[in-house]
Amino acid sequence: MSRRDEILDVAVAVLEEQGPDAVTMRELAARMGIRAPSLYKHVRDKDDILAGLQERALIDMARHLAAAEPGLGALADAYRSWAMAHPRLYEVATRRPLARERIAPGVESAAAAPIVAAAGGDEHLARALWALAHGLVDLELSNRFPPGADLDATWRKALTGFEK
Amino acid sequence: MSRRDEILDVAVAVLEEQGPDAVTMRELAARMGIRAPSLYKHVRDKDDILAGLQERALIDMARHLAAAEPGLGALADAYRSWAMAHPRLYEVATRRPLARERIAPGVESAAAAPIVAAAGGDEHLARALWALAHGLVDLELSNRFPPGADLDATWRKALTGFEK
DNA sequence: AATTCTTGGCTAACACTGTTAACCAAGAAT
DNA sequence: ATTCTTGGTTAACAGTGTTAGCCAAGAATT
């Protein structure tokens, strides 16, 4: 495993354990037993680390979505459950422009594939479904829904419009 | 107009002109002809400023949505056009937990009202519609859709599921 | 075997961030 | 005439990402 990958491992751990503000060059370095400037021997800058996290999130989510049972409902469940299992990672991967230059080719389309399949190949429908799921997750993660809202019911209602 | 409101005015200007990273206490102060520490006489901390921006965004968006023609399509257009007219403000207002304690009561429900109305009072449907619109806007703003994607068509397709 | 090159660490330092403390002048209130 | 409040000031601190310059150890080359 490359040193860069070790850094990304540590970054994921810090992110999920202590939140995004704790993902600092000095904290990552400390966990690895080195000093912050040494990180730059393996990584271009902090943005490079975040792009790495984004790529990892896409890959992992793609695998999770691909393993879902067939059908729109199961796919939606998979999407939501992945996000809720890795909330910080979901945010950091999602709330920044896709760094297409820094991400291995095919990763983006692999993540999209299960959704496109569920949409029967209709790319507009696929994007609509994706946006719907992302919107629900994003609003839930940033506490925009009133406390106590029955989000299971909301998800069910949301999907009725699209189930054939 | 209170000094706090002046600060928020400046913050909005800096945000839209130079992006979120430029919204710094020293930059805001410089534009007002004072020094950074003086801002703290009118504002609790930087988070207080961001909460103020969030409140302003909600109010302005509520007015814009309320002025839309009746019908789901027009409401969706209004939502999207407001976001595209104030992209940075939309982000900063949306990508942080709703600071309900710092926001005037009624603002949140006023912003939600037009959507709830369009949903015929069904709160789950309203939240689904909101999430759909937010998801589409959010993904567009962070450049997640492939370059050149026909988003008008995606919006049209997205709404077909919900038009009665 | 002797030399050079590369790798991956180090310290020191810089410019910038939000924020606090301590001070002070001017007008309002008593 | 005195005191209090308002809204500004400078100096400073801890923490951020990042660069420059140095150096030891192992790899590679002659």
Side-chain angles (χ1 to χ4, degrees):
Chain A
M1 183 168 54
S2 79
R3 208 85 170 103
R4 184 174 194 273
D5 285 332
E6 289 183 50
I7 295 176
L8 293 183
D9 282 349
V10 171
V12 170
V14 173
L15 180 66
E16 297 289 4
E17 287 169 25
Q18 305 178 234
D21 288 354
V23 181
T24 171
M25 300 303 276
R26 286 173 176 83
E27 171 69 20
L28 300 186
R31 288 219 189 189
M32 300 186 66
I34 61 178
R35 304 300 161 88
S38 302
L39 294 173
Y40 291 83
K41 299 286 169 150
H42 312 282
V43 137
R44 186 133 69 89
D45 51 18
K46 189 179 179 182
D47 228 59
D48 194 23
I49 296 178
L50 297 180
L53 295 188
Q54 192 179 45
E55 180 177 347
R56 284 194 172 201
L58 282 179
I59 292 172
D60 201 55
M61 192 159 196
R63 192 170 35 219
H64 196 249
L65 294 186
E69 301 285 315
L72 197 52
L75 185 61
D77 281 348
Y79 193 99
R80 188 182 181 195
S81 69
W82 191 92
M84 292 306 148
H86 315 87
R88 310 292 187 179
L89 192 55
Y90 184 92
E91 286 177 24
V92 93
T94 248
R95 293 182 178 174
R96 50 186 290 109
L98 226 197
R100 294 195 170 83
E101 283 302 311
R102 297 187 183 191
I103 279 186
V107 170
E108 185 181 7
S109 56
I115 303 178
V116 174
D122 181 339
E123 66 170 354
H124 293 300
L125 179 55
R127 286 181 196 139
L129 289 171
W130 177 27
L132 180 60
H134 168 66
L136 285 164
V137 163
D138 194 54
L139 293 174
E140 180 175 2
L141 286 181
S142 47
N143 276 308
R144 311 281 303 187
F145 291 122
D150 181 356
L151 297 183
D152 288 335
T154 297
W155 274 83
R156 258 179 273 120
K157 185 75 184 184
L159 293 178
T160 56
F162 294 103
E163 261 146 0
K164 59 178 162 305
Chain B
M1 183 168 54
S2 79
R3 207 87 170 104
R4 183 175 195 274
D5 285 332
E6 289 182 50
I7 295 176
L8 294 182
D9 283 349
V10 171
V12 170
V14 173
L15 179 66
E16 297 289 5
E17 288 168 24
Q18 312 187 62
D21 288 353
V23 181
T24 170
M25 300 303 275
R26 285 174 176 83
E27 171 68 20
L28 300 186
R31 288 219 188 188
M32 301 186 65
I34 61 178
R35 305 301 161 88
S38 304
L39 293 174
Y40 291 83
K41 299 287 170 157
H42 313 281
V43 137
R44 186 135 69 90
D45 52 18
K46 189 180 177 180
D47 228 59
D48 193 24
I49 297 178
L50 296 180
L53 295 187
Q54 193 179 44
E55 177 175 319
R56 283 194 174 203
L58 282 179
I59 292 173
D60 201 55
M61 192 158 195
R63 192 169 36 218
H64 197 250
L65 294 186
E69 301 286 315
L72 197 52
L75 186 61
D77 281 349
Y79 193 99
R80 187 183 181 196
S81 68
W82 190 92
M84 292 307 148
H86 315 87
R88 311 291 189 181
L89 192 54
Y90 185 91
E91 286 176 24
V92 91
T94 247
R95 292 183 179 174
R96 47 187 292 107
L98 226 197
R100 292 195 171 82
E101 281 302 311
R102 297 188 184 191
I103 278 186
V107 170
E108 185 181 8
S109 56
I115 303 178
V116 175
D122 180 340
E123 66 171 353
H124 293 300
L125 179 55
R127 285 181 195 138
L129 289 171
W130 177 29
L132 179 60
H134 168 67
L136 285 164
V137 162
D138 195 53
L139 293 174
E140 180 175 2
L141 286 181
S142 47
N143 276 308
R144 310 282 301 186
F145 292 122
D150 181 357
L151 298 183
D152 288 334
T154 297
W155 275 83
R156 256 179 275 121
K157 185 76 185 183
L159 293 179
T160 56
F162 294 104
E163 262 147 359
K164 60 177 157 306

